[in-house]
PDB file of all heavy atoms in Angstrom:
ATOM      1  N   GLY A   2      24.848  -7.728  -1.529  1.00  0.00           N
ATOM      2  CA  GLY A   2      24.346  -7.887  -0.177  1.00  0.00           C
ATOM      3  C   GLY A   2      23.247  -6.899   0.185  1.00  0.00           C
ATOM      4  O   GLY A   2      22.743  -6.902   1.307  1.00  0.00           O
ATOM      5  N   GLN A   3      22.848  -6.056  -0.760  1.00  0.00           N
ATOM      6  CA  GLN A   3      21.800  -5.072  -0.486  1.00  0.00           C
ATOM      7  C   GLN A   3      20.426  -5.717  -0.617  1.00  0.00           C
ATOM      8  O   GLN A   3      20.146  -6.436  -1.571  1.00  0.00           O
ATOM      9  CB  GLN A   3      21.909  -3.890  -1.451  1.00  0.00           C
ATOM     10  CG  GLN A   3      20.956  -2.742  -1.129  1.00  0.00           C
ATOM     11  CD  GLN A   3      21.141  -1.559  -2.069  1.00  0.00           C
ATOM     12  OE1 GLN A   3      21.669  -1.706  -3.182  1.00  0.00           O
ATOM     13  NE2 GLN A   3      20.702  -0.384  -1.637  1.00  0.00           N
ATOM     14  N   TYR A   4      19.565  -5.461   0.371  1.00  0.00           N
ATOM     15  CA  TYR A   4      18.215  -6.001   0.329  1.00  0.00           C
ATOM     16  C   TYR A   4      17.415  -5.332  -0.787  1.00  0.00           C
ATOM     17  O   TYR A   4      17.553  -4.133  -1.039  1.00  0.00           O
ATOM     18  CB  TYR A   4      17.495  -5.771   1.660  1.00  0.00           C
ATOM     19  CG  TYR A   4      18.073  -6.550   2.815  1.00  0.00           C
ATOM     20  CD1 TYR A   4      18.565  -5.881   3.941  1.00  0.00           C
ATOM     21  CD2 TYR A   4      18.110  -7.942   2.803  1.00  0.00           C
ATOM     22  CE1 TYR A   4      19.084  -6.593   5.014  1.00  0.00           C
ATOM     23  CE2 TYR A   4      18.632  -8.653   3.862  1.00  0.00           C
ATOM     24  CZ  TYR A   4      19.125  -7.977   4.970  1.00  0.00           C
ATOM     25  OH  TYR A   4      19.642  -8.680   6.024  1.00  0.00           O
ATOM     26  N   LEU A   5      16.535  -6.126  -1.435  1.00  0.00           N
ATOM     27  CA  LEU A   5      15.684  -5.555  -2.483  1.00  0.00           C
ATOM     28  C   LEU A   5      14.783  -4.458  -1.910  1.00  0.00           C
ATOM     29  O   LEU A   5      14.454  -3.491  -2.596  1.00  0.00           O
ATOM     30  CB  LEU A   5      14.834  -6.653  -3.119  1.00  0.00           C
ATOM     31  CG  LEU A   5      15.593  -7.739  -3.891  1.00  0.00           C
ATOM     32  CD1 LEU A   5      14.598  -8.751  -4.468  1.00  0.00           C
ATOM     33  CD2 LEU A   5      16.432  -7.136  -5.009  1.00  0.00           C
ATOM     34  N   GLY A   6      14.385  -4.618  -0.644  1.00  0.00           N
ATOM     35  CA  GLY A   6      13.544  -3.623  -0.002  1.00  0.00           C
ATOM     36  C   GLY A   6      14.215  -2.280   0.179  1.00  0.00           C
ATOM     37  O   GLY A   6      13.547  -1.268   0.411  1.00  0.00           O
ATOM     38  N   GLU A   7      15.551  -2.254   0.091  1.00  0.00           N
ATOM     39  CA  GLU A   7      16.289  -0.987   0.173  1.00  0.00           C
ATOM     40  C   GLU A   7      16.367  -0.299  -1.189  1.00  0.00           C
ATOM     41  O   GLU A   7      16.639   0.894  -1.265  1.00  0.00           O
ATOM     42  CB  GLU A   7      17.699  -1.230   0.704  1.00  0.00           C
ATOM     43  CG  GLU A   7      17.739  -1.770   2.125  1.00  0.00           C
ATOM     44  CD  GLU A   7      19.149  -2.092   2.593  1.00  0.00           C
ATOM     45  OE1 GLU A   7      19.862  -2.840   1.883  1.00  0.00           O
ATOM     46  OE2 GLU A   7      19.542  -1.596   3.661  1.00  0.00           O
ATOM     47  N   LYS A   8      16.091  -1.062  -2.240  1.00  0.00           N
ATOM     48  CA  LYS A   8      16.222  -0.512  -3.596  1.00  0.00           C
ATOM     49  C   LYS A   8      14.872  -0.143  -4.210  1.00  0.00           C
ATOM     50  O   LYS A   8      14.790   0.763  -5.034  1.00  0.00           O
ATOM     51  CB  LYS A   8      16.927  -1.533  -4.501  1.00  0.00           C
ATOM     52  CG  LYS A   8      18.323  -1.906  -4.033  1.00  0.00           C
ATOM     53  CD  LYS A   8      18.907  -3.049  -4.850  1.00  0.00           C
ATOM     54  CE  LYS A   8      19.201  -2.647  -6.271  1.00  0.00           C
ATOM     55  NZ  LYS A   8      19.916  -3.721  -7.007  1.00  0.00           N
ATOM     56  N   TYR A   9      13.818  -0.875  -3.796  1.00  0.00           N
ATOM     57  CA  TYR A   9      12.502  -0.675  -4.414  1.00  0.00           C
ATOM     58  C   TYR A   9      11.430  -0.554  -3.328  1.00  0.00           C
ATOM     59  O   TYR A   9      11.638  -0.950  -2.180  1.00  0.00           O
ATOM     60  CB  TYR A   9      12.160  -1.848  -5.347  1.00  0.00           C
ATOM     61  CG  TYR A   9      13.250  -2.167  -6.331  1.00  0.00           C
ATOM     62  CD1 TYR A   9      14.052  -3.293  -6.170  1.00  0.00           C
ATOM     63  CD2 TYR A   9      13.491  -1.338  -7.419  1.00  0.00           C
ATOM     64  CE1 TYR A   9      15.070  -3.581  -7.068  1.00  0.00           C
ATOM     65  CE2 TYR A   9      14.503  -1.614  -8.323  1.00  0.00           C
ATOM     66  CZ  TYR A   9      15.293  -2.738  -8.139  1.00  0.00           C
ATOM     67  OH  TYR A   9      16.304  -3.013  -9.019  1.00  0.00           O
ATOM     68  N   ASN A  10      10.292  -0.016  -3.714  1.00  0.00           N
ATOM     69  CA  ASN A  10       9.177   0.146  -2.782  1.00  0.00           C
ATOM     70  C   ASN A  10       8.214  -1.030  -2.940  1.00  0.00           C
ATOM     71  O   ASN A  10       7.475  -1.086  -3.920  1.00  0.00           O
ATOM     72  CB  ASN A  10       8.441   1.463  -3.071  1.00  0.00           C
ATOM     73  CG  ASN A  10       9.369   2.654  -3.048  1.00  0.00           C
ATOM     74  OD1 ASN A  10      10.133   2.828  -2.109  1.00  0.00           O
ATOM     75  ND2 ASN A  10       9.315   3.471  -4.087  1.00  0.00           N
ATOM     76  N   PHE A  11       8.251  -1.954  -1.988  1.00  0.00           N
ATOM     77  CA  PHE A  11       7.390  -3.134  -2.044  1.00  0.00           C
ATOM     78  C   PHE A  11       6.140  -2.921  -1.204  1.00  0.00           C
ATOM     79  O   PHE A  11       6.188  -2.298  -0.141  1.00  0.00           O
ATOM     80  CB  PHE A  11       8.118  -4.364  -1.505  1.00  0.00           C
ATOM     81  CG  PHE A  11       9.164  -4.911  -2.428  1.00  0.00           C
ATOM     82  CD1 PHE A  11      10.476  -4.477  -2.333  1.00  0.00           C
ATOM     83  CD2 PHE A  11       8.847  -5.864  -3.381  1.00  0.00           C
ATOM     84  CE1 PHE A  11      11.457  -4.985  -3.173  1.00  0.00           C
ATOM     85  CE2 PHE A  11       9.813  -6.379  -4.228  1.00  0.00           C
ATOM     86  CZ  PHE A  11      11.129  -5.941  -4.128  1.00  0.00           C
ATOM     87  N   GLU A  12       5.030  -3.467  -1.666  1.00  0.00           N
ATOM     88  CA  GLU A  12       3.809  -3.453  -0.870  1.00  0.00           C
ATOM     89  C   GLU A  12       3.019  -4.723  -1.147  1.00  0.00           C
ATOM     90  O   GLU A  12       2.687  -5.032  -2.290  1.00  0.00           O
ATOM     91  CB  GLU A  12       2.959  -2.225  -1.181  1.00  0.00           C
ATOM     92  CG  GLU A  12       1.807  -2.064  -0.221  1.00  0.00           C
ATOM     93  CD  GLU A  12       1.233  -0.657  -0.235  1.00  0.00           C
ATOM     94  OE1 GLU A  12       1.877   0.252  -0.795  1.00  0.00           O
ATOM     95  OE2 GLU A  12       0.123  -0.485   0.288  1.00  0.00           O
ATOM     96  N   ARG A  13       2.741  -5.459  -0.079  1.00  0.00           N
ATOM     97  CA  ARG A  13       2.004  -6.720  -0.179  1.00  0.00           C
ATOM     98  C   ARG A  13       0.513  -6.440  -0.048  1.00  0.00           C
ATOM     99  O   ARG A  13       0.084  -5.700   0.833  1.00  0.00           O
ATOM    100  CB  ARG A  13       2.466  -7.664   0.929  1.00  0.00           C
ATOM    101  CG  ARG A  13       1.803  -9.030   0.929  1.00  0.00           C
ATOM    102  CD  ARG A  13       2.209  -9.813   2.149  1.00  0.00           C
ATOM    103  NE  ARG A  13       3.609 -10.165   2.113  1.00  0.00           N
ATOM    104  CZ  ARG A  13       4.067 -11.416   2.083  1.00  0.00           C
ATOM    105  NH1 ARG A  13       3.219 -12.428   2.090  1.00  0.00           N
ATOM    106  NH2 ARG A  13       5.355 -11.656   2.065  1.00  0.00           N
ATOM    107  N   LEU A  14      -0.285  -7.046  -0.929  1.00  0.00           N
ATOM    108  CA  LEU A  14      -1.731  -6.837  -0.937  1.00  0.00           C
ATOM    109  C   LEU A  14      -2.459  -8.162  -0.756  1.00  0.00           C
ATOM    110  O   LEU A  14      -1.958  -9.213  -1.168  1.00  0.00           O
ATOM    111  CB  LEU A  14      -2.177  -6.215  -2.269  1.00  0.00           C
ATOM    112  CG  LEU A  14      -1.492  -4.918  -2.711  1.00  0.00           C
ATOM    113  CD1 LEU A  14      -1.905  -4.577  -4.136  1.00  0.00           C
ATOM    114  CD2 LEU A  14      -1.823  -3.781  -1.769  1.00  0.00           C
ATOM    115  N   THR A  15      -3.651  -8.111  -0.156  1.00  0.00           N
ATOM    116  CA  THR A  15      -4.505  -9.300  -0.087  1.00  0.00           C
ATOM    117  C   THR A  15      -5.114  -9.577  -1.448  1.00  0.00           C
ATOM    118  O   THR A  15      -5.234 -10.717  -1.881  1.00  0.00           O
ATOM    119  CB  THR A  15      -5.625  -9.092   0.944  1.00  0.00           C
ATOM    120  OG1 THR A  15      -5.040  -8.774   2.201  1.00  0.00           O
ATOM    121  CG2 THR A  15      -6.465 -10.350   1.089  1.00  0.00           C
ATOM    122  N   SER A  16      -5.519  -8.511  -2.133  1.00  0.00           N
ATOM    123  CA  SER A  16      -5.960  -8.616  -3.519  1.00  0.00           C
ATOM    124  C   SER A  16      -5.660  -7.287  -4.197  1.00  0.00           C
ATOM    125  O   SER A  16      -5.561  -6.240  -3.540  1.00  0.00           O
ATOM    126  CB  SER A  16      -7.450  -8.959  -3.616  1.00  0.00           C
ATOM    127  OG  SER A  16      -8.234  -7.828  -3.904  1.00  0.00           O
ATOM    128  N   ALA A  17      -5.502  -7.325  -5.513  1.00  0.00           N
ATOM    129  CA  ALA A  17      -5.154  -6.109  -6.252  1.00  0.00           C
ATOM    130  C   ALA A  17      -6.247  -5.058  -6.174  1.00  0.00           C
ATOM    131  O   ALA A  17      -6.000  -3.870  -6.398  1.00  0.00           O
ATOM    132  CB  ALA A  17      -4.853  -6.461  -7.713  1.00  0.00           C
ATOM    133  N   ARG A  18      -7.473  -5.474  -5.837  1.00  0.00           N
ATOM    134  CA  ARG A  18      -8.579  -4.522  -5.704  1.00  0.00           C
ATOM    135  C   ARG A  18      -8.322  -3.491  -4.612  1.00  0.00           C
ATOM    136  O   ARG A  18      -8.919  -2.414  -4.602  1.00  0.00           O
ATOM    137  CB  ARG A  18      -9.888  -5.262  -5.414  1.00  0.00           C
ATOM    138  CG  ARG A  18     -10.489  -5.998  -6.596  1.00  0.00           C
ATOM    139  CD  ARG A  18     -11.871  -6.536  -6.243  1.00  0.00           C
ATOM    140  NE  ARG A  18     -11.797  -7.542  -5.225  1.00  0.00           N
ATOM    141  CZ  ARG A  18     -11.789  -8.865  -5.448  1.00  0.00           C
ATOM    142  NH1 ARG A  18     -11.855  -9.313  -6.684  1.00  0.00           N
ATOM    143  NH2 ARG A  18     -11.728  -9.729  -4.465  1.00  0.00           N
ATOM    144  N   GLU A  19      -7.429  -3.824  -3.678  1.00  0.00           N
ATOM    145  CA  GLU A  19      -7.134  -2.901  -2.579  1.00  0.00           C
ATOM    146  C   GLU A  19      -6.657  -1.548  -3.093  1.00  0.00           C
ATOM    147  O   GLU A  19      -6.904  -0.520  -2.468  1.00  0.00           O
ATOM    148  CB  GLU A  19      -6.068  -3.499  -1.657  1.00  0.00           C
ATOM    149  CG  GLU A  19      -6.577  -4.605  -0.756  1.00  0.00           C
ATOM    150  CD  GLU A  19      -5.478  -5.145   0.137  1.00  0.00           C
ATOM    151  OE1 GLU A  19      -4.673  -4.342   0.648  1.00  0.00           O
ATOM    152  OE2 GLU A  19      -5.411  -6.367   0.317  1.00  0.00           O
ATOM    153  N   LEU A  20      -5.961  -1.536  -4.217  1.00  0.00           N
ATOM    154  CA  LEU A  20      -5.441  -0.278  -4.759  1.00  0.00           C
ATOM    155  C   LEU A  20      -6.573   0.673  -5.117  1.00  0.00           C
ATOM    156  O   LEU A  20      -6.474   1.882  -4.909  1.00  0.00           O
ATOM    157  CB  LEU A  20      -4.569  -0.553  -5.993  1.00  0.00           C
ATOM    158  CG  LEU A  20      -3.242  -1.265  -5.720  1.00  0.00           C
ATOM    159  CD1 LEU A  20      -2.572  -1.652  -7.035  1.00  0.00           C
ATOM    160  CD2 LEU A  20      -2.327  -0.374  -4.904  1.00  0.00           C
ATOM    161  N   VAL A  21      -7.669   0.125  -5.652  1.00  0.00           N
ATOM    162  CA  VAL A  21      -8.814   0.955  -6.025  1.00  0.00           C
ATOM    163  C   VAL A  21      -9.568   1.394  -4.782  1.00  0.00           C
ATOM    164  O   VAL A  21      -9.956   2.568  -4.644  1.00  0.00           O
ATOM    165  CB  VAL A  21      -9.758   0.191  -6.981  1.00  0.00           C
ATOM    166  CG1 VAL A  21     -10.974   1.040  -7.329  1.00  0.00           C
ATOM    167  CG2 VAL A  21      -9.005  -0.204  -8.258  1.00  0.00           C
ATOM    168  N   LYS A  22      -9.782   0.452  -3.857  1.00  0.00           N
ATOM    169  CA  LYS A  22     -10.533   0.783  -2.644  1.00  0.00           C
ATOM    170  C   LYS A  22      -9.781   1.793  -1.787  1.00  0.00           C
ATOM    171  O   LYS A  22     -10.379   2.657  -1.166  1.00  0.00           O
ATOM    172  CB  LYS A  22     -10.801  -0.486  -1.839  1.00  0.00           C
ATOM    173  CG  LYS A  22     -11.749  -1.446  -2.530  1.00  0.00           C
ATOM    174  CD  LYS A  22     -12.165  -2.558  -1.611  1.00  0.00           C
ATOM    175  CE  LYS A  22     -10.979  -3.433  -1.274  1.00  0.00           C
ATOM    176  NZ  LYS A  22     -11.349  -4.512  -0.332  1.00  0.00           N
ATOM    177  N   ARG A  23      -8.452   1.692  -1.782  1.00  0.00           N
ATOM    178  CA  ARG A  23      -7.637   2.609  -0.992  1.00  0.00           C
ATOM    179  C   ARG A  23      -7.809   4.049  -1.465  1.00  0.00           C
ATOM    180  O   ARG A  23      -7.826   4.982  -0.668  1.00  0.00           O
ATOM    181  CB  ARG A  23      -6.170   2.198  -1.088  1.00  0.00           C
ATOM    182  CG  ARG A  23      -5.231   3.031  -0.234  1.00  0.00           C
ATOM    183  CD  ARG A  23      -3.811   2.614  -0.483  1.00  0.00           C
ATOM    184  NE  ARG A  23      -3.629   1.197  -0.250  1.00  0.00           N
ATOM    185  CZ  ARG A  23      -2.572   0.520  -0.670  1.00  0.00           C
ATOM    186  NH1 ARG A  23      -1.636   1.124  -1.374  1.00  0.00           N
ATOM    187  NH2 ARG A  23      -2.456  -0.758  -0.407  1.00  0.00           N
ATOM    188  N   LYS A  24      -7.941   4.223  -2.760  1.00  0.00           N
ATOM    189  CA  LYS A  24      -8.120   5.567  -3.311  1.00  0.00           C
ATOM    190  C   LYS A  24      -9.396   6.201  -2.771  1.00  0.00           C
ATOM    191  O   LYS A  24      -9.444   7.399  -2.465  1.00  0.00           O
ATOM    192  CB  LYS A  24      -8.161   5.511  -4.838  1.00  0.00           C
ATOM    193  CG  LYS A  24      -8.178   6.866  -5.501  1.00  0.00           C
ATOM    194  CD  LYS A  24      -8.141   6.740  -7.017  1.00  0.00           C
ATOM    195  CE  LYS A  24      -8.142   8.109  -7.682  1.00  0.00           C
ATOM    196  NZ  LYS A  24      -8.114   8.007  -9.157  1.00  0.00           N
ATOM    197  N   ALA A  25     -10.453   5.387  -2.636  1.00  0.00           N
ATOM    198  CA  ALA A  25     -11.712   5.900  -2.103  1.00  0.00           C
ATOM    199  C   ALA A  25     -11.588   6.224  -0.619  1.00  0.00           C
ATOM    200  O   ALA A  25     -12.123   7.220  -0.134  1.00  0.00           O
ATOM    201  CB  ALA A  25     -12.823   4.878  -2.324  1.00  0.00           C
ATOM    202  N   ILE A  26     -10.837   5.386   0.115  1.00  0.00           N
ATOM    203  CA  ILE A  26     -10.668   5.602   1.552  1.00  0.00           C
ATOM    204  C   ILE A  26      -9.883   6.877   1.824  1.00  0.00           C
ATOM    205  O   ILE A  26     -10.138   7.596   2.786  1.00  0.00           O
ATOM    206  CB  ILE A  26      -9.955   4.383   2.190  1.00  0.00           C
ATOM    207  CG1 ILE A  26     -10.871   3.168   2.147  1.00  0.00           C
ATOM    208  CG2 ILE A  26      -9.542   4.679   3.622  1.00  0.00           C
ATOM    209  CD1 ILE A  26     -10.221   1.878   2.573  1.00  0.00           C
ATOM    210  N   LYS A  27      -8.918   7.194   0.959  1.00  0.00           N
ATOM    211  CA  LYS A  27      -8.073   8.365   1.175  1.00  0.00           C
ATOM    212  C   LYS A  27      -8.870   9.668   1.165  1.00  0.00           C
ATOM    213  O   LYS A  27      -8.389  10.696   1.608  1.00  0.00           O
ATOM    214  CB  LYS A  27      -6.977   8.425   0.110  1.00  0.00           C
ATOM    215  CG  LYS A  27      -5.822   7.466   0.366  1.00  0.00           C
ATOM    216  CD  LYS A  27      -4.729   7.621  -0.669  1.00  0.00           C
ATOM    217  CE  LYS A  27      -3.558   6.707  -0.364  1.00  0.00           C
ATOM    218  NZ  LYS A  27      -2.471   6.831  -1.381  1.00  0.00           N
ATOM    219  N   LYS A  28     -10.079   9.622   0.629  1.00  0.00           N
ATOM    220  CA  LYS A  28     -10.881  10.844   0.542  1.00  0.00           C
ATOM    221  C   LYS A  28     -11.392  11.291   1.909  1.00  0.00           C
ATOM    222  O   LYS A  28     -11.830  12.416   2.062  1.00  0.00           O
ATOM    223  CB  LYS A  28     -12.060  10.618  -0.417  1.00  0.00           C
ATOM    224  CG  LYS A  28     -11.630  10.414  -1.862  1.00  0.00           C
ATOM    225  CD  LYS A  28     -12.835  10.173  -2.754  1.00  0.00           C
ATOM    226  CE  LYS A  28     -12.403   9.949  -4.197  1.00  0.00           C
ATOM    227  NZ  LYS A  28     -13.564   9.655  -5.085  1.00  0.00           N
ATOM    228  N   ARG A  29     -11.367  10.412   2.927  1.00  0.00           N
ATOM    229  CA  ARG A  29     -11.835  10.816   4.242  1.00  0.00           C
ATOM    230  C   ARG A  29     -10.696  10.751   5.261  1.00  0.00           C
ATOM    231  O   ARG A  29      -9.782   9.940   5.154  1.00  0.00           O
ATOM    232  CB  ARG A  29     -12.991   9.939   4.701  1.00  0.00           C
ATOM    233  CG  ARG A  29     -12.624   8.500   4.994  1.00  0.00           C
ATOM    234  CD  ARG A  29     -13.811   7.773   5.608  1.00  0.00           C
ATOM    235  NE  ARG A  29     -13.502   6.384   5.911  1.00  0.00           N
ATOM    236  CZ  ARG A  29     -12.926   5.991   7.032  1.00  0.00           C
ATOM    237  NH1 ARG A  29     -12.551   6.878   7.938  1.00  0.00           N
ATOM    238  NH2 ARG A  29     -12.692   4.700   7.255  1.00  0.00           N
ATOM    239  N   MET A  30     -10.758  11.620   6.241  1.00  0.00           N
ATOM    240  CA  MET A  30      -9.740  11.683   7.282  1.00  0.00           C
ATOM    241  C   MET A  30      -9.945  10.557   8.296  1.00  0.00           C
ATOM    242  O   MET A  30     -11.057  10.352   8.793  1.00  0.00           O
ATOM    243  CB  MET A  30      -9.836  13.042   7.987  1.00  0.00           C
ATOM    244  CG  MET A  30      -8.956  13.179   9.220  1.00  0.00           C
ATOM    245  SD  MET A  30      -7.191  13.149   8.820  1.00  0.00           S
ATOM    246  CE  MET A  30      -7.057  14.693   7.921  1.00  0.00           C
ATOM    247  N   PRO A  31      -8.879   9.789   8.645  1.00  0.00           N
ATOM    248  CA  PRO A  31      -9.016   8.778   9.692  1.00  0.00           C
ATOM    249  C   PRO A  31      -9.420   9.426  11.010  1.00  0.00           C
ATOM    250  O   PRO A  31      -9.055  10.573  11.291  1.00  0.00           O
ATOM    251  CB  PRO A  31      -7.605   8.174   9.785  1.00  0.00           C
ATOM    252  CG  PRO A  31      -6.948   8.517   8.499  1.00  0.00           C
ATOM    253  CD  PRO A  31      -7.527   9.819   8.061  1.00  0.00           C
ATOM    254  N   LYS A  32     -10.189   8.680  11.809  1.00  0.00           N
ATOM    255  CA  LYS A  32     -10.664   9.236  13.079  1.00  0.00           C
ATOM    256  C   LYS A  32      -9.803   8.806  14.261  1.00  0.00           C
ATOM    257  O   LYS A  32      -9.606   9.564  15.197  1.00  0.00           O
ATOM    258  CB  LYS A  32     -12.115   8.809  13.313  1.00  0.00           C
ATOM    259  CG  LYS A  32     -13.099   9.363  12.292  1.00  0.00           C
ATOM    260  CD  LYS A  32     -14.515   8.855  12.566  1.00  0.00           C
ATOM    261  CE  LYS A  32     -15.504   9.398  11.541  1.00  0.00           C
ATOM    262  NZ  LYS A  32     -16.880   8.874  11.775  1.00  0.00           N
ATOM    263  N   GLN A  33      -9.309   7.552  14.203  1.00  0.00           N
ATOM    264  CA  GLN A  33      -8.576   7.037  15.359  1.00  0.00           C
ATOM    265  C   GLN A  33      -7.398   6.182  14.924  1.00  0.00           C
ATOM    266  O   GLN A  33      -7.463   5.434  13.954  1.00  0.00           O
ATOM    267  CB  GLN A  33      -9.511   6.210  16.252  1.00  0.00           C
ATOM    268  CG  GLN A  33      -8.852   5.742  17.553  1.00  0.00           C
ATOM    269  CD  GLN A  33      -9.759   4.845  18.362  1.00  0.00           C
ATOM    270  OE1 GLN A  33     -10.395   3.946  17.827  1.00  0.00           O
ATOM    271  NE2 GLN A  33      -9.821   5.064  19.672  1.00  0.00           N
TER     272      GLN A  33
END
């Protein structure tokens, strides 16, 4: 009865390229 989300870290993406682009975004501090 345990949800898979309680056992593993899931993340839904629009495309796998987001993982690469996210790394570049992390280099700057969010403003708002």
Side-chain angles (χ1 to χ4, degrees):
Q3 187 177 22
Y4 293 121
L5 295 180
E7 296 176 307
K8 300 172 68 173
Y9 309 106
N10 305 310
F11 286 91
E12 189 162 347
R13 181 187 292 242
L14 305 171
T15 304
S16 101
R18 286 188 294 263
E19 285 180 41
L20 291 172
V21 178
K22 293 190 294 178
R23 184 184 304 165
K24 187 177 181 180
I26 292 172
K27 282 183 177 179
K28 293 179 181 178
R29 68 173 180 85
M30 172 66 67
K32 295 178 180 178
Q33 185 184 45

